[in-house]
Structures are given as structure tokens and as C-alpha cells.
Amino acid sequence: MQVFKFGGASVSTLERIQQVAQILKKYQGQKLLVVVSAMGKTTNALEGVVAAFYAGNKEEALRQFEAIKATHLQFCLDLNVEGHTLNDFFTEVEWLLHDKPVRHYDYYYDQVVCVGELLSTTIISQYLAAQGIANQWVDVRDILRTDNNFRDAGIDWTITEQKVTQQIVPLFNHTDMVLTQGFIGATDDNESTTLGREGSDYTAAVFANLLNAQNQTIWKDVPGVMNADPKLYTAAELISELNYREVIEMAYYGAQVIHPKTVKPLQNKGIPLLVKSFLHPNADGTIIHNKKMNRLPPIIVYKQGQVLVQLSSRDFSFVGEGLTAKVYNQFEQLQFKPNLTQNAAISLQCVVDDHAEKVEGLALALAPDFEVQVTRGLTLLTIRHYTDGLLAQLCADCQVLLQQKTPETVQVLLQK
């Protein structure tokens, strides 16, 4: 048993979908569970639909969703797939968009954004079947049970394992390939949830763990794990071998190559993770396992769209005397995590992702105790195994607002 995950880039064009089919043909006769993401930038487009809907602009939300529908129906025509098979998913979203928002933003985000994976997998399942690649499509929301922490749902492993055993395992008696969605799940009340952006990697790791897979492969549009995003750092190079610990560190600091939660389910059962290019499927890519690694190159992670929240105590109380606890309690209540914190005697600085609603909620909740200043449009740069020369080079054209160093890792908050 192997688990494959194909990301949005791998199914973003007609030619790339055909390439995915060619890759899967090579594995016919082997047991595969295949996790597929939404096509291309569909998730971004669906986020625009949610934003318009929540702002009360129903007509704009419906207009944007019509464009998404048209794109997927065109894929159906190009691939000779029955478009009517998508109608139930279209209706699921349109029914919601004709209503008015009465619950919080994250709830509606999950109900709308989840449709991207459902549309892509429905199209691809039918296309594969037409190419002679038999597969069984499964709605992962029937399998992956989560809590109701919308946009960052936690998995109920006990119930999910029962469902995998009862519903997924028997399918392999009749087919070699099960095709399902990443990134999404459902609550006890059958409300859709998402696992956090790029959560398809994590979905695949959950299945790999529960199916005791031989390995998991993530198919991407890069040669493997790079030491930096080549779009942001032109000297990026391939790392052919990594261990679980290093990848967890990379993911924690915001590297987009692998979802932060992906490694633990694999590490717990010693399942190797392969990262390969769907453009060059015969290349070795990167293997991630439990071996000790030496002499790694500097690993550079840019986390853009950051916000600096500066807090100064109003009565000059030391932040260590109870005020820090208040700040972290608010983070917990908002289900919001700082990416970097730094405190002085009477001030505390927090770097967070730019989730506007949560930033505003944090600022309002802390205003009675703190003077609050918010600065947007920043970038958090992390370098593991850094050198002072490389740090100076990467910060040369920016203002450094915040810096933290350990012997192995440096983080700097940059403003252009």
C-alpha cells in the first residue's frame, strides 16, 4: 500500500492532469490511496467568494462562484467528463450564498472552500476511469471526523480509524485505487471543516498512518524539498535527504513544501515520505526518514503577509506580572497562534498571520490593558543553519523590526 498526494499545481491544466494519469498508469496493479487537492488557484478563488458573501455582497459572491463553475465545466468538456456530476456540489455552495451570514467567518469559509477538492476529484476520477485506470471515488468527509475548530480542525483519530477500517480497507478488495480529497473533513453534525491551508499533505499522512502504508509520496512542481522557495531565492538547491526533525522545524517556521502536521503520523510508524516532481517523475526527489543528517545547507523560509502587534502596558506594569498570561489567553480564545513573540519590561511584541478578523479581535480584547499598535505588510524571514554573511545579504534592502537568534536558527521581521 502506498499513499500519493497530488497538489493543486499538478491538476491546474489539461496537460498536467494528463501527466498525473500517466504517472498513475505506471502503478497499475499496486494498491494506492490517492489524495488530490483543488485545481490550481481554486482555493484562492473560493476564498474571494467567502469574503464577498461575509461582507454582505451576495451578488458579487455569486458572480465569482459562477466563474469557478465555468472553469470546472470547461475542464469537463476538455477531458470529456460528464459535467452534471458536479451539480450537487455547485448547489451545496449556492444554497448557502443565497442566505445571510449569521455565524462566524471561519464556519462559512469551510463550507464554501471545501468544494474545491470535491470538484477536482470528481473530474479526475472520471477522467482516470475513461483512461482505463479503475478507481473508487470517496467523499473524505464521510471518513475523516474532526472537531468544529473551523479552518484548523483537529482530527478525531479514534472515529477516523474506525471509518478507515470499516469503509476504506474493504474497497481494496474490489479496486487497486481509492481516490479522495485532501484538506477537508466533517464534524459529528456533518458540517464541513478544513485542516488549514496546504492540509492535503496532512490528510495523506493520516491515511498512510491508518493504512500502515509502505510510504507516502507528495507530487509537486519542484524537484523535491528545496532549501528555499526558488521563486523568492534564485540560488535555491535541492536537498536529496532529510530527517523528520528537520522537516518539522522547516514546517513550523512556515516552509510551504509540507504541511506542519504531516510528519508526526508518518514518524510515529516510521513511514518514509518522498517528495517528487510530477514534471520529472523518474527523478529521485527527496526522501525524508528518521536518519541523522549532517552538514545541511542553510534553509531559508519566507513567511509573507505578517502583522506586528506591539503591546505596551497602560499602567507601566511589568508584562511578566500577569499581563503575558492575558495575552496568551486571548490567543487561545481566538484560536490564533503567534509566529514570533518578544517581550521587554513593559511591552510585548507578537508577529501573526494577517487574519484581519482575528487581529482586530485580539487588539480590541487587549486594549483595556495595553496600548496597541498594528503594523501590516511585513515578512518573517527564518534561516536555519545560517551564516552571518547570508543573513546580512538577505536583509540588505529591508528594515529589521525584530530579530531573534539561537546558535542554529535566526528569525528577522522585515519591512521593505
Side-chain angles (χ1 to χ4, degrees):
M1 170 69 68
Q2 297 182 71
V3 174
F4 284 0
K5 179 260 179 174
F6 289 95
S10 66
V11 290
S12 59
T13 67
L14 179 64
E15 293 74 22
R16 289 186 170 187
I17 293 170
Q18 292 167 337
Q19 174 71 10
V20 168
Q22 291 304 310
I23 291 171
L24 292 175
K25 273 186 178 178
K26 296 178 181 178
Y27 292 88
Q28 284 186 295
Q30 302 181 42
K31 301 295 184 185
L32 290 179
L33 185 132
V34 180
V35 172
V36 180
S37 299
M39 292 174 163
K41 299 297 183 182
T42 300
T43 299
N44 291 346
L46 288 165
E47 287 176 339
V49 172
V50 182
F53 165 76
Y54 202 74
N57 194 341
K58 180 179 76 172
E59 297 306 319
E60 175 61 17
L62 287 167
R63 186 194 66 77
Q64 291 185 30
F65 189 61
E66 279 298 320
I68 294 167
K69 285 173 61 177
T71 298
H72 286 81
L73 289 172
Q74 186 61 52
F75 269 112
C76 290
L77 285 172
D78 293 341
L79 295 168
N80 198 25
V81 166
E82 296 291 339
H84 67 82
T85 57
L86 308 182
N87 287 343
D88 285 348
F89 302 126
F90 293 154
T91 301
E92 195 175 317
V93 173
E94 289 167 335
W95 177 83
L96 183 147
L97 295 180
H98 279 94
D99 208 345
K100 289 184 178 179
V102 293
R103 297 178 64 170
H104 58 84
Y105 180 88
D106 290 351
Y107 167 79
Y108 292 107
Y109 179 99
D110 282 6
Q111 307 319 300
V112 172
V113 169
C114 74
V115 81
E117 273 68 17
L118 296 163
L119 295 173
S120 68
T121 53
T122 300
I123 293 170
I124 290 163
S125 175
Q126 292 181 82
Y127 175 70
L128 292 176
Q131 299 303 303
I133 305 170
N135 68 92
Q136 176 63 56
W137 183 91
V138 171
D139 188 334
V140 78
R141 296 176 298 177
D142 295 333
I143 307 298
L144 210 152
R145 178 63 53 83
T146 75
D147 59 24
N148 62 356
N149 183 18
F150 297 102
R151 287 189 79 179
D152 191 19
I155 293 172
D156 185 323
W157 280 84
T158 301
I159 295 177
T160 300
E161 183 173 17
Q162 291 171 358
K163 289 179 175 291
V164 167
T165 301
Q166 294 166 2
Q167 298 182 45
I168 297 295
V169 172
L171 294 176
F172 285 104
N173 294 326
H174 310 288
T175 184
D176 287 334
M177 185 187 299
V178 172
L179 181 72
T180 194
Q181 306 80 36
F183 177 52
I184 67 177
T187 67
D188 286 338
D189 298 323
N190 290 321
E191 293 178 318
S192 298
T193 55
T194 65
L195 308 179
R197 283 301 298 260
E198 310 301 328
S200 295
D201 294 348
Y202 182 39
T203 303
V206 171
F207 279 114
N209 177 290
L210 296 178
L211 292 167
N212 295 305
Q214 172 188 345
N215 57 54
Q216 174 182 330
T217 302
I218 298 174
W219 296 91
K220 300 180 72 70
D221 58 352
V222 292
V225 178
M226 313 290 285
N227 74 319
D229 184 341
K231 296 172 187 171
L232 302 174
Y233 182 67
T234 55
E237 59 184 276
L238 175 69
I239 306 174
S240 60
E241 191 175 8
L242 284 166
N243 60 26
Y244 295 126
R245 181 182 179 85
E246 190 65 43
V247 171
I248 288 172
E249 293 285 350
M250 291 172 66
Y252 172 78
Y253 290 117
Q256 293 297 303
V257 68
I258 296 168
H259 187 276
K261 296 178 183 176
T262 301
V263 175
K264 188 174 185 297
L266 303 176
Q267 184 181 27
N268 287 351
K269 290 194 174 178
I271 300 169
L273 175 61
L274 308 174
V275 182
K276 301 187 69 170
S277 170
F278 62 80
L279 299 171
H280 305 284
N282 295 324
D284 290 337
T286 301
I287 183 168
I288 300 162
H289 45 50
N290 216 19
K291 294 181 181 178
K292 187 175 180 179
M293 304 300 303
N294 296 310
R295 292 191 295 275
L296 286 168
I299 294 172
I300 302 161
V301 179
Y302 287 98
K303 197 169 177 64
Q304 298 176 316
Q306 297 296 285
V307 178
L308 175 61
V309 181
Q310 296 173 284
L311 306 167
S312 300
S313 65
R314 289 189 178 278
D315 61 359
F316 288 82
S317 297
F318 290 123
V319 294
E321 296 175 348
L323 290 179
T324 303
K326 285 188 177 181
V327 173
Y328 278 95
N329 284 338
Q330 284 304 318
F331 274 118
E332 187 173 352
Q333 287 184 32
L334 290 165
Q335 297 174 335
F336 198 28
K337 291 175 282 194
N339 298 319
L340 182 68
T341 60
Q342 193 171 95
N343 64 282
I346 60 171
S347 65
L348 180 67
Q349 300 182 89
C350 305
V351 181
V352 297
D353 294 334
D354 195 357
H355 295 317
E357 187 183 48
K358 292 188 177 183
V359 172
E360 182 180 351
L362 181 70
L364 288 173
L366 295 176
D369 296 301
F370 295 95
E371 292 181 6
V372 183
Q373 182 178 342
V374 175
T375 307
R376 286 188 158 85
L378 309 177
T379 297
L380 182 60
L381 168 65
T382 302
I383 313 174
R384 283 182 56 74
H385 320 297
Y386 67 93
T387 65
D388 290 334
L390 178 61
L391 176 61
Q393 174 193 332
L394 296 181
C395 297
D397 298 324
C398 301
Q399 181 183 359
V400 176
L401 302 183
L402 207 61
Q403 178 172 297
Q404 283 187 7
K405 272 186 179 182
T406 70
E408 196 164 62
T409 303
V410 61
Q411 290 190 283
V412 287
L413 185 66
L414 302 176
Q415 185 174 47
K416 286 286 186 183

